[in-house]
Amino acid sequence: MEDVFRRPGQRAGAIEEEKRVDSVGDHKEEIAVKEPVLTDWEGSSMGPDNSRASSSGIKKEQDDQLESARAEMGEVREENERLKIKTRRTLQTHLMIMTKKSKETELVSLSLGRFSSDSKKEEKTKTSSSGKEDDQKIKEGLSLGLECKFEVSKPDANEALPDPSLTNGFEEPKEEAGETWPPSKALKTMRSGEEDISQQNPVKRARVSVRARCETPTMNDGCQWRKYGQKIAKGNPCPRAYYRCTVAPSCPVRKQEPTTTHFQCQQPLWLPQLLQPLPCYCLAHHRALGPGSTAPSTSITAANNNLHGLNFYLTDNLKSKQFYLPHPSLSSTPSCPTITVDLTTAPSSSSSPLGRFITNYPSTAPRYSSTSLSFGSSESNSMSWGNNLLSYGSTQPYIKNQTGNTIAAATKAITADPSFQSALVAALTSIIGTGDSGGTIGASQVGGGQVGGGDNLGVMQKLKWGEQFPVASSYSESVKGNGCGSSYLNKSSTTTNTQPGSLIFLPPSLPFASSKSASASPAENREHTN
DNA sequence: CTTATTTGACCCTGT
DNA sequence: GACAGGGTCAAATAA
């Protein structure tokens, strides 16, 4: 019986156990109540049979029995009390875990709601709603609006869950979401590749958690989108919505997104969610794109030099932009590596020299210590994450400030792992999206391609009209002729099958030279004919 | 009345 | 050339 109490299971089970504890207590109290009856019975039954025995002897015997029974009862009661306390503690622990989990879910769902295309409807709903609960919700929304944190904080590692099934339950939805979202053509391709990887390394998906303060009340990407079409993509139950930017009448920027966000509340915050609030590419476009402007050759460099943050350089011919991730931390559980980028603190003023990257690059490192991050060889295309929080520091055996490492090596390392590509892209996108820079990652250099800085449109167009990137080409198959860099940005997130929106820069009236043809897109044809 | 959204049809591209 | 699929247009509809 004690074993039952000393093996607390899940919450429901614990409650049940508490009931059982109570019932046991009742039972023992029952014993206590019955005790006199027993003695009465003994006395009554023994009375006539032991009439010859001395009454004092019988009394002694009864007293002994009574005392022993009482002593036993006391022990049982103590034990019962101990078990009750223990069960309560267990329940409290479960309750704390559940509360924490619910808070996480809240964060996720609320943050996800931010990029919902129906933000106006949400606002309407919120404002029209009444009642204390609704007010509370509104307050939550407002507070989130003032400081929106895209954060999925996993339970602390030291708070070990009593039952692993709790963790499993938390991780489960993402798989379901992946399954309920049949991928499109490109996704199939990507998934097939990823599934192969995931079969070999079943739990190596990187999760990016970005903590960022939002300067504006709404998590707006700065563009005003107008829906102009909707289409059901083959193999995708969710129709794809087409939006065009209406900031300017002639704005060529368009984007496409899945029309439903239902699934998003079912899963932790993965890359696609982070990518959904698209940064205002069009603003950069409006700023950067002038008549006769040319597309600069742009490149991105990921650098980490101070070991306390990530610095991303976006450089082009004219200028370079540096994006600093103040407090990135790479944590992981055995099932899910997590990259946490804390943007809530002020960036350091220290700038970094170009050309450093965070990683050493052992060519043959199949497995790493629990506190190290490293990149596997390109053959295995795998990246292993340790069990503990990964931080950049000089003490890390594989994470060193190595000036000798070239960017090529870094990009090679990144190229080796798609999840890290996605993570990096997501991080960069989030940063640039929240920052005031017009810089936009057109396509990630992490795949050996190019990235747009302030004048990213040229790169976008360059991407769109022809030049394929080693990574982008594999990720944006569905875009086909439109190898749009931003499409890659978003398509890259389709590795998790949530099919985020993609952004398309329609060809402006600029005579971009293209390796393909000048009429790569139907829209362009139409524009020319019209 | 204005503006935004929906939705069927059309066009283009790739196979 | 036929077909499939994606992207866009534009009339109809809703707010």
Side-chain angles (χ1 to χ4, degrees), chain A residues 254-472:
Chain A
R254 298 183 182 186
K255 75 170 181 178
Q256 50 181 248
E257 282 185 348
T259 57
T260 178
T261 56
H262 172 73
F263 71 99
Q264 289 162 346
C265 295
Q266 306 284 330
Q267 60 176 356
L269 190 61
W270 285 89
L271 301 183
Q273 283 75 31
L274 290 171
L275 291 172
Q276 290 255 351
L278 293 167
C280 186
Y281 296 89
C282 68
L283 291 184
H285 158 69
H286 291 319
R287 279 205 297 266
L289 186 65
S293 67
T294 57
S297 69
T298 323
S299 63
I300 182 176
T301 302
N304 175 302
N305 39 20
N306 58 5
L307 296 177
H308 300 293
L310 283 175
N311 286 286
F312 291 92
Y313 280 86
L314 300 181
T315 63
D316 56 28
N317 290 343
L318 303 175
K319 56 193 172 183
S320 67
K321 288 180 180 291
Q322 178 191 2
F323 300 96
Y324 177 77
L325 313 188
H327 301 290
S329 65
L330 281 77
S331 62
S332 75
T333 63
S335 62
C336 178
T338 301
I339 300 173
T340 301
V341 180
D342 192 344
L343 302 175
T344 59
T345 57
S348 167
S349 59
S350 64
S351 61
S352 314
L354 192 62
R356 293 179 181 179
F357 197 65
I358 59 174
T359 177
N360 194 343
Y361 193 68
S363 58
T364 55
R367 195 74 188 172
Y368 313 102
S369 71
S370 61
T371 56
S372 68
L373 165 67
S374 185
F375 298 97
S377 64
S378 57
E379 291 177 359
S380 63
N381 278 345
S382 67
M383 182 168 65
S384 295
W385 304 75
N387 290 327
N388 297 340
L389 180 74
L390 296 175
S391 60
Y392 300 116
S394 57
T395 57
Q396 304 300 328
Y398 291 107
I399 306 173
K400 293 178 182 177
N401 182 6
Q402 293 208 352
T403 54
N405 275 351
T406 61
I407 298 302
T411 53
K412 187 180 176 185
I414 295 168
T415 311
D417 187 87
S419 62
F420 191 82
Q421 293 166 12
S422 301
L424 187 57
V425 167
L428 289 169
T429 307
S430 302
I431 294 159
I432 296 163
T434 55
D436 60 348
S437 69
T440 297
I441 305 172
S444 178
Q445 174 73 20
V446 297
Q450 291 180 331
V451 166
D455 299 338
N456 54 71
L457 179 68
V459 179
M460 297 289 186
Q461 287 158 341
K462 198 174 179 183
L463 288 168
K464 181 172 180 174
W465 291 317
E467 294 194 3
Q468 293 278 352
F469 296 95
V471 175

Side-chain angles (χ1 to χ4, degrees), chain A residues 79-90:
Chain A
E79 179 70 15
N80 204 12
E81 279 300 313
R82 281 201 299 269
L83 291 172
K84 276 186 177 178
I85 290 169
K86 201 167 190 176
T87 308
R88 276 194 202 117
R89 283 178 184 169
T90 306

Side-chain angles (χ1 to χ4, degrees), chain A residues 21 35 67 137 140 404 461 497 507:
Chain A
V21 169
E35 206 66 38
E67 273 197 29
K137 286 176 183 175
E140 285 178 5
Q461 287 158 341
N497 294 313

